[in-house]
Amino acid sequence: MSTSATATRSILIADDEPLARERLRRLVEALPGYRVCGEAADGDTALKQVAALEPDVLLLDIRMPGMDGMEAATQLEKLTNPPALIFCTAYDHYAIQAFDVRAAAYLLKPVRREALADALARTGRINRVQLKTLTDLSEDDGEQIAVRTHRGTELIDLADIQHCEADQKYVTLHHSHGETVCDYTLKELETTYPRQLLRIHRHTLVGVRYIQALKRTPDGQNLVVLRDNRGQLPVSRRHASNVRQWLQEHRPG
């Protein structure tokens, strides 16, 4: 598989619908730096093509005859150097299962060119072998969260989330690649990911891996200082003790 960041990256398309494959092929070939190396109409053929062609990325439908896309993805997990995986499907209710096979993205049909370009760009930043290595080093780092957006269902690495901010009925996830509005509540996020997200305010959760320090301003305001000059976030009096306790428990040495 390609290792050069500037080399043309090869894409395998697996979908049982010829028109869907043709549309994806047109989208891929319109993007610079990518080429379609092959096609498959079912999961079994997709696995054989992966072995024969060694694509960099697999665009995979889920509902197909014989071995479906999710089964094929599970088999790909057993490979020592699997392709990056992007699901392209008409069904959004498989997004949670996509976590288990470490899909780089989950796109809803009809796939938009911008969404595909963004997903392919993300696979170029870190391939699935590297992701698995990071996951082996730290169990938390491999977790992802499924977020429904106007582009479909997106998978965001939990380790990339710097903070979550509630504004009326929406919560915005501020992460390494920008901002994403989701329909989760802060309470749901806090309860589901207690090791990764810490409550610092009624309206804010912070990603614990980004906490550097807690400081107090001359006027008595508590602030969390984020690592790598990512800024500061206000901490309410009620939650300041939680931040102090976290720092004490995780301070090096």
Side-chain angles (χ1 to χ4, degrees):
M1 297 187 189
S2 302
T3 55
S4 172
T6 58
T8 299
R9 307 185 71 226
S10 57
I11 313 293
L12 175 65
I13 299 171
D15 195 304
D16 64 318
E17 299 177 7
L19 290 178
R21 294 199 302 272
E22 182 183 341
R23 185 173 190 277
L24 284 173
R25 175 183 282 273
R26 289 201 309 269
L27 290 175
V28 169
E29 292 179 345
L31 297 172
Y34 302 97
R35 67 178 179 86
V36 176
C37 65
E39 297 182 7
D42 56 66
D44 291 295
T45 306
L47 292 179
K48 292 176 183 176
Q49 293 281 60
V50 166
L53 302 173
E54 295 189 335
D56 295 300
V57 183
L58 173 59
L59 303 182
L60 183 62
D61 189 17
I62 291 183
R63 290 196 178 179
M64 296 185 292
M67 180 185 292
D68 68 14
M70 200 60 70
E71 292 178 81
T74 301
Q75 294 300 315
L76 289 173
E77 280 286 288
K78 300 175 183 178
L79 300 179
T80 55
N81 194 14
L85 176 61
I86 297 174
F87 282 115
C88 300
T89 176
Y91 306 93
D92 64 2
H93 53 273
Y94 293 99
I96 300 301
Q97 291 174 257
F99 293 168
D100 297 331
V101 292
R102 299 188 180 92
Y106 189 100
L107 305 179
L108 289 180
K109 296 178 179 177
V111 175
R112 294 169 55 247
R113 179 179 175 178
E114 295 82 0
L116 180 60
D118 179 68
L120 288 171
R122 275 186 276 151
T123 67
R125 284 193 286 267
I126 177 168
N127 64 40
R128 296 177 70 232
V129 177
Q130 293 169 316
L131 179 58
K132 188 176 190 311
T133 301
L134 291 173
T135 305
D136 290 341
L137 291 173
S138 174
E139 182 184 13
D140 297 340
D141 287 352
E143 291 192 60
Q144 295 175 307
I145 181 172
V147 179
R148 291 185 181 183
T149 72
H150 65 283
R151 292 182 293 186
T153 302
E154 297 183 13
L155 301 180
I156 298 174
D157 290 335
L158 201 59
D160 283 342
I161 298 177
Q162 297 163 16
H163 70 283
C164 312
E165 184 177 22
D167 181 15
Q168 297 180 355
K169 61 180 180 179
Y170 296 107
V171 169
T172 301
L173 307 179
H174 299 262
H175 50 85
S176 301
H177 308 300
E179 299 177 1
T180 303
V181 176
C182 71
D183 54 4
Y184 297 108
T185 66
L186 285 185
K187 186 64 177 176
E188 288 172 334
L189 293 170
E190 180 183 24
T191 302
T192 306
Y193 307 107
R195 290 182 300 173
Q196 298 95 333
L197 299 173
L198 180 68
R199 175 81 68 165
I200 62 170
H201 194 281
R202 183 161 57 96
H203 302 298
T204 315
L205 302 175
V206 66
V208 295
R209 63 184 292 138
Y210 295 99
I211 297 176
Q212 178 175 322
L214 176 69
K215 77 173 188 179
R216 191 176 180 87
T217 65
D219 61 359
Q221 172 68 57
N222 291 303
L223 298 172
V224 158
V225 180
L226 301 181
R227 295 184 182 279
D228 303 322
N229 298 314
R230 288 185 170 90
Q232 303 174 352
L233 297 171
V235 180
S236 67
R237 292 177 183 269
R238 176 183 175 186
H239 295 98
S241 59
N242 293 338
V243 180
R244 290 192 193 94
Q245 180 178 347
W246 188 91
L247 285 166
Q248 289 172 358
E249 292 175 354
H250 296 84
R251 183 174 288 125

